[in-house]
Amino acid sequence: MATKPGEGMRVALFATCANDVMFPDTPKAVLSILERLGCSVEFPEKQTCCGQPFANTGYFDETVPVVRNFVDAFGGYDYIVGPSGSCVGAVREQHEMLAEHAGDAGLARDVSLVAPHVYDISEFLVNVLNVTDVGAYFPHKVTYHPTCHSIRVAKVGDAPMRLLQSVKGITVLDLPDSDRCCGFGGTFAMKNPDISTAMAADKARHVAGTGAEYLVAGDNLCLLNVSGVIARQGGGVKPIHLAEILASTEGSAA
Amino acid sequence: MTLVHRQSTIPVAGPPAPRYEGPNRRTPAPPAGELVDSPGFPTAARRELDLPVQRGNLHQAMTTIRTKRQQCVSELDHWEELRLAGEAIKNRTLRHLDSYLVQLEENLTAAGATVHWARDAAEANRIITGLVKEALADEEVHYDGTGVVGDEVVKVKSMVTQEIDMNEALEAAGVAAWETDLAEIIVQLGHDRPSHFLVPAIHRNRAEVREIFLAEMGTYGKPAPPDLDSEPRNLAGAARLHLREKFLRAKVGISGANFAVADTGTLVVVESEGNGRMCLTLPQTLISVVGVEKVLPTFDDLEVFLQLLPRSSTAERMNPYTSMWTGPTGGDGPEKMHVVLLDNGRSRVLADRIGREALRCIRCSACLNVCPVYEKVGGHAYGSVYPGPIGSILTPQLRGTTSAVDRSLPFASSLCGACFEVCPVRIPIPELLVYMRNQVVESKKAEAKSKPGMPFLAHGEPAAMTGAAWMMADSRRWSAATKGVGLSGRILGKADHLGPMPWPLSKWTNARDVPIPPQESFRSWYKRERGGGSR
């Protein structure tokens, strides 16, 4: 076999706080894909959160130490890869603003050194490693929800779809109105729960209509929101993170 | 910049005119209560969500207009260049707003118009009411139709006159102000408030419109035909007959302006029905109320905006009627022309380096049409003349962040970002929503400092946010906290999902299940499997 695409690359795994605690299978999947492709993966233990939940709720002053912790944890890596378009987008789009808000030139400099090296797993695979076929096998019908922050903040484009379509055995079904928000929106789901669930119900209805067995996305919290409604309605469509599909192989029991 | 220095004397938008509560109303009364008294977005939104007919109407209309806009915009290969041009022209205008406004005033005056400056809503209403009274003073009414006859004006649909609640100010002065835009007359006759910039009656279906026309038209003018059905053309026909009488007898027309061209002194109104043109050409006196941000430097700039606006708003290549007027002309159209240039908080927004981008808005409503939150609740939930995503950033900037509704508006979004994608002048609405959220938090902190008692950051949400952020600033604290989650997973045992939970988690679990947390965090697994990470 030729050299693996990630051979010689040192990659920091950015697990994200929500995945760390609620969905540990997702960062495990990222680790497994990256190692399969030859990357040398490290998990900087100092990492916690990107700060987005606090910044997006308006608590800028309180978020600044979280940003400081992020650059301390990930400084020096050429590749920082995480399974969340939302968190990756927040690092790239918000950290500079927060450093500016704090009037902290040192932090702004550190942010400018770290943020451009942060990638969502899908764009890292397609745009950096130049692979779409990662050797995955997933013999199921799936439909893909491109989460808002994946497409509009992290701007991962069609990378997730290209990866999915290269998975062996998979059937990818079109999701109507796929680019409409599922209603999660971080604290929006708590501040405006009724609208949030009405939006999630629309998404759940579209998902159910595809006949898919799995709903795939690149952000577990959006999946949590939609699948929470699906589960309450007694629907059988299972949520799954894109990375977990990509990590599945013929050898594994997916 | 002069306007920036004026900030200290013009703190926020002045309050609009209160609803006229005196005897002998001449126009249908709007709903009780003032917009700014709205209880806040979440409460108002819940009320609107419970209107199934409105939800259906909104869903259908929004889906149609979104699809049409997408088609119309994709016809142009250079759409993004047009957006960039629109953004650049507006930015240049705002940077030199003081000099463009002076140039506009000079050229309007040279063309024969009289220019008035209004700092806030009260001043604008005082000027307008005075001008209307003066114009109507020597009026002789020759009218033998039905309905109430007397002091009245006809209006072109205008957001800015709604912002200052001009109709109520005129009502208080004994003048009936009649809306002539088809959707606007549905709202006015329905004792209602507009729900949308462009399609104010978007929350109504044709059966509701028929009922409103049958019930109300006769009280205020020519009644609807008793056999009126709910066919759109027949509804439009009834409105045409009702309005025609008002057009023919009105001596004063009042308009806003979509654009005000500085180098020629030309005002521009774009519309779809031609009713606006009737108001602009038939009355003897025309009063145009124009927000100071409506200026465009040159006539050539219209090339960009007359492409951006109709495609973004009505999903049309060109709107059916574009009216431009450069002063009055003897024997053709109005004999007297007044222009009221309104600040009402705009110079304050301009002084904010970040927030000022909202002033680029050309009121196309594309952001409303694409917003999944707006689609669920409609415009009334926002407690503002400017609803939807743009209203959620513009209104609290204009009015300040002191009222409950203004404090809730920046949070009336899931930050999905669809609004920025469609904005023809590229206003970064999601970023400004987050910026305004911070302004709200800061204003609450400042307010709490001046009050005795529990500090702001010790209350529910602030405490949760500051506590969690404090925990996230240090991985040891985070690591310790996450051990508890694994424990709760073990306690909860074998169930698949968590059902309803107590407040505040009930806000999530009332309609959604939550899977039980896993027993081991990734961090612990990694440490166990790999013997600890780096650093």
Side-chain angles (χ1 to χ4, degrees):
Chain A
M1 189 181 164
T3 320
K4 293 177 176 176
E7 210 76 67
M9 277 186 178
R10 180 168 160 257
V11 177
L13 172 59
F14 168 33
T16 81
C17 61
N19 285 314
D20 181 6
V21 178
M22 296 174 74
F23 308 97
D25 288 346
T26 300
K28 282 182 206 168
V30 175
L31 182 64
S32 128
I33 300 163
L34 293 175
E35 290 185 339
R36 197 164 77 216
L37 295 172
C39 300
S40 152
V41 185
E42 293 171 22
F43 174 72
E45 272 189 359
K46 193 173 169 42
Q47 67 177 285
T48 55
C49 172
C50 65
Q52 182 181 206
F54 321 111
N56 279 358
T57 316
Y59 293 80
F60 286 6
D61 293 345
E62 293 74 12
T63 316
V64 173
V66 184
V67 174
R68 161 62 64 200
N69 184 70
F70 186 91
V71 297
D72 287 351
F74 289 106
Y77 286 99
D78 286 338
Y79 304 104
I80 302 151
V81 178
S84 163
S86 189
C87 307
V88 165
V91 172
R92 295 201 294 228
E93 297 299 318
Q94 268 183 351
H95 280 195
E96 186 189 341
M97 178 275 285
L98 289 161
E100 249 178 57
H101 168 85
D104 186 335
L107 181 59
R109 191 202 58 230
D110 291 346
V111 164
S112 72
L113 293 174
V114 174
H117 299 281
V118 179
Y119 300 88
D120 177 63
I121 177 70
S122 64
E123 56 177 354
F124 180 74
L125 295 173
V126 174
N127 302 339
V128 180
L129 296 188
N130 287 308
V131 288
T132 47
D133 184 349
V134 297
Y137 173 72
F138 196 74
H140 298 285
K141 289 188 280 187
V142 308
T143 191
Y144 173 67
H145 167 52
T147 60
C148 301
H149 287 195
S150 285
I151 49 174
R152 302 198 186 93
V153 185
K155 298 190 172 67
V156 300
D158 63 354
M161 195 49 104
R162 290 173 63 192
L163 289 160
L164 270 183
Q165 282 166 342
S166 306
V167 172
K168 285 187 193 60
I170 204 166
T171 308
V172 184
L173 301 164
D174 274 346
L175 179 64
D177 280 348
S178 65
D179 64 347
R180 299 284 282 167
C181 180
C182 75
F184 172 57
T187 44
F188 175 78
M190 301 288 272
K191 283 182 179 279
N192 289 284
D194 307 281
I195 306 172
S196 173
T197 43
M199 288 160 70
D202 283 358
K203 187 61 77 179
R205 196 179 62 248
H206 286 307
V207 170
T210 63
E213 298 160 68
Y214 288 92
L215 170 64
V216 192
D219 272 293
N220 273 323
L221 290 174
C222 307
L223 284 173
L224 176 73
N225 185 43
V226 182
S227 65
V229 171
I230 293 175
R232 182 64 61 90
Q233 292 172 347
V237 188
K238 292 174 286 253
I240 189 167
H241 193 285
L242 172 67
E244 290 173 48
I245 291 182
L246 299 180
S248 307
T249 59
E250 291 197 55
S252 67
Chain B
M1 199 186 292
T2 325
L3 283 165
V4 174
H5 294 315
R6 285 168 60 192
Q7 188 204 357
S8 54
T9 53
I10 309 169
V12 285
R19 184 176 116 136
Y20 173 68
E21 302 282 8
N24 305 323
R25 269 201 75 97
R26 320 212 19 185
T27 57
E34 309 302 332
L35 276 176
V36 77
D37 297 337
S38 169
F41 183 79
T43 307
R46 214 158 29 244
R47 181 191 68 214
E48 301 295 319
L49 264 176
D50 286 341
L51 306 172
V53 175
Q54 172 174 292
R55 261 177 83 166
N57 296 346
L58 286 166
H59 177 73
Q60 191 173 356
M62 297 286 105
T63 308
T64 307
I65 198 162
R66 265 204 320 275
T67 314
K68 275 179 68 186
R69 191 211 73 95
Q70 185 55 44
Q71 283 165 357
C72 194
V73 160
S74 61
E75 288 176 356
L76 295 184
D77 294 336
H78 62 301
W79 181 251
E80 193 55 27
E81 280 83 354
L82 276 174
R83 287 178 82 209
L84 287 162
E87 177 187 13
I89 293 168
K90 280 284 182 181
N91 280 347
R92 176 160 49 91
T93 312
L94 292 171
R95 248 190 330 266
H96 308 288
L97 189 58
D98 47 356
S99 40
Y100 286 126
L101 281 171
V102 170
Q103 190 189 7
L104 176 69
E105 179 183 33
E106 284 167 4
N107 287 322
L108 281 168
T109 309
T114 309
V115 175
H116 311 260
W117 296 82
R119 271 167 294 213
D120 58 19
E123 192 168 16
N125 283 328
R126 214 159 40 237
I127 294 166
I128 296 161
T129 308
L131 291 171
V132 170
K133 284 278 184 189
E134 189 185 299
L136 294 177
D138 56 353
E139 180 182 5
E140 286 178 46
V141 179
H142 302 289
Y143 177 73
D144 57 1
T146 49
V148 183
V149 180
D151 291 347
E152 59 192 347
V153 302
V154 286
K155 284 186 63 195
V156 185
K157 175 179 166 22
S158 148
M159 294 307 295
V160 79
T161 56
Q162 276 165 21
E163 178 185 323
I164 60 176
D165 236 330
M166 185 194 75
N167 290 11
E168 289 305 290
L170 287 173
E171 184 76 42
V175 176
W178 290 110
E179 299 291 347
T180 64
D181 174 88
L182 183 50
E184 209 64 79
I185 191 79
I186 295 167
V187 168
Q188 188 175 32
L189 288 174
H191 299 264
D192 200 354
R193 285 204 171 98
S195 182
H196 189 277
F197 286 176
L198 203 78
V199 203
I202 196 152
H203 57 302
R204 298 289 196 191
N205 62 36
R206 58 174 84 164
E208 293 173 285
V209 173
R210 172 180 170 271
E211 280 169 29
I212 291 169
F213 281 6
L214 282 171
E216 300 286 342
M217 274 182 170
T219 314
Y220 300 103
K222 190 171 181 63
D227 60 345
L228 181 67
D229 60 21
S230 57
E231 276 306 302
R233 59 176 292 134
N234 296 336
L235 294 171
R240 178 175 292 128
L241 291 175
H242 180 82
L243 288 171
R244 187 62 51 108
E245 295 185 338
K246 298 192 190 299
F247 287 135
L248 289 174
R249 66 177 187 246
K251 296 291 184 283
V252 179
I254 298 183
S255 84
N258 292 96
F259 308 103
V261 182
D263 76 341
T264 57
T266 303
L267 299 186
V268 184
V269 159
V270 298
E271 46 146 352
S272 297
E273 295 167 5
N275 288 343
R277 182 166 292 182
M278 303 276 269
C279 300
L280 294 169
T281 52
L282 287 173
Q284 287 159 8
T285 300
L286 174 60
I287 302 169
S288 300
V289 191
V290 184
V292 289
E293 85 286 12
K294 292 288 177 187
V295 186
L296 289 181
T298 73
F299 200 81
D300 287 348
D301 295 325
L302 288 171
E303 175 206 344
V304 170
F305 292 97
L306 291 182
Q307 294 184 76
L308 285 175
L309 182 54
R311 284 182 197 261
S312 299
S313 55
T314 45
E316 290 171 303
R317 293 169 183 151
M318 184 87 210
N319 49 286
Y321 294 86
T322 300
S323 299
M324 304 191 186
W325 63 105
T326 310
T329 305
D332 181 14
E335 291 151 25
K336 285 182 189 162
M337 184 180 148
H338 294 273
V339 180
V340 181
L341 294 173
L342 176 76
D343 185 314
N344 207 33
R346 286 159 177 74
S347 60
R348 176 178 185 266
V349 182
L350 187 67
D352 183 328
R353 187 176 60 84
I354 295 170
R356 72 168 65 135
E357 295 199 70
L359 287 184
R360 289 205 296 269
C361 178
I362 56 173
R363 314 281 190 260
C364 71
S365 69
C367 64
L368 278 63
N369 298 338
V370 80
C371 178
V373 175
Y374 176 89
E375 182 182 315
K376 288 287 169 234
V377 299
H380 294 156
Y382 293 80
S384 157
V385 166
Y386 303 109
I390 183 68
S392 299
I393 55 172
L394 188 59
T395 305
Q397 287 200 76
L398 289 172
R399 295 199 299 213
T401 52
T402 49
S403 71
V405 63
D406 289 318
R407 285 182 166 182
S408 69
L409 285 177
F411 298 91
S413 164
S414 66
L415 300 180
C416 81
C419 45
F420 171 70
E421 276 187 340
V422 297
C423 178
V425 286
R426 295 170 49 89
I427 298 169
I429 299 176
E431 287 165 39
L432 292 181
L433 284 163
V434 171
Y435 172 72
M436 289 308 297
R437 291 176 182 191
N438 177 244
Q439 302 273 298
V440 170
V441 168
E442 292 301 323
S443 80
K444 286 182 176 173
K445 281 185 194 169
E447 190 177 279
K449 261 188 195 154
S450 63
K451 282 182 189 166
M454 199 164 48
F456 168 70
L457 291 176
H459 286 80
E461 178 197 286
M465 283 289 148
T466 50
W470 175 81
M471 193 173 67
M472 292 298 193
D474 185 314
S475 61
R476 282 160 304 179
R477 296 175 202 148
W478 167 237
S479 186
T482 56
K483 290 213 171 76
V485 177
L487 183 67
S488 71
R490 279 193 288 279
I491 292 167
L492 289 160
K494 293 289 179 197
D496 275 353
H497 284 87
L498 301 177
M501 292 173 75
W503 189 91
L505 289 174
S506 58
K507 290 187 170 202
W508 179 278
T509 56
N510 275 347
R512 282 167 292 217
D513 283 343
V514 180
I516 59 161
Q519 301 197 353
E520 187 179 36
S521 70
F522 174 77
R523 184 177 300 270
S524 308
W525 172 87
Y526 190 88
K527 203 166 185 115
R528 190 163 53 73
E529 287 285 314
R530 306 284 177 111
S534 54
R535 300 188 216 187

